[in-house]
Amino acid sequence: MVIFLVFLLYCSLRDNILNTIKLISTDNMLKKLLKQNPLYVFALEMESGDTFKSEHLLHTGLGKVNAAYYLTKQLSKDKPTIIVNLGSVGSNKYPQGTVVCCSQFIQ
């Protein structure tokens, strides 16, 4: 079973993300999955920076087609326990460093 978590970040740090994930995980299942073999997915290397250097990373390039292609290719080689899709975004509403858990996407 693979669970996807999608977060859009505005110049956030790994600790903020992991703390937020801990807050939204009300049961132990999510915590267990994050400790086993999580895959952190970013479009660009500059989004992950050195902060996620020690984590299992995938950089897909921009766009839905690239994301689908490279994630499918990765999943054929490795079976992560959870996939956390992260990216940077600008906002007039949220201050810099805020972690936003998205529930709706508009193309």
Side-chain angles (χ1 to χ4, degrees):
M1 169 180 53
V2 175
I3 297 175
F4 286 85
L5 292 178
V6 179
F7 289 91
L8 294 180
L9 313 178
Y10 182 56
C11 300
S12 187
L13 299 174
R14 178 179 174 271
D15 291 339
N16 286 357
I17 297 162
L18 295 178
N19 286 336
T20 302
I21 291 171
K22 288 175 190 171
L23 287 175
I24 64 168
S25 62
T26 56
D27 61 276
N28 288 328
M29 185 179 86
L30 186 55
K31 291 176 187 173
K32 282 184 192 177
L33 293 173
L34 287 167
K35 289 180 182 177
Q36 292 172 13
N37 185 28
L39 174 62
Y40 295 91
V41 179
F42 294 89
L44 305 173
E45 288 185 39
M46 65 183 274
E47 292 176 316
S48 61
D50 291 336
T51 309
F52 284 83
K53 198 178 238 182
S54 63
E55 301 294 337
H56 186 192
L57 290 178
L58 174 64
H59 297 103
T60 63
L62 296 175
K64 295 180 290 187
V65 173
N66 281 339
Y69 173 76
Y70 287 105
L71 187 55
T72 301
K73 190 174 175 179
Q74 180 68 31
L75 291 175
S76 71
K77 295 187 286 188
D78 184 35
K79 303 296 184 228
T81 54
I82 189 167
I83 297 170
V84 182
N85 186 7
L86 303 144
S88 57
V89 65
S91 174
N92 292 327
K93 182 177 179 181
Y94 299 102
Q96 185 173 357
T98 301
V99 178
V100 180
C101 183
C102 300
S103 60
Q104 182 180 6
F105 299 91
I106 301 170
Q107 293 293 331

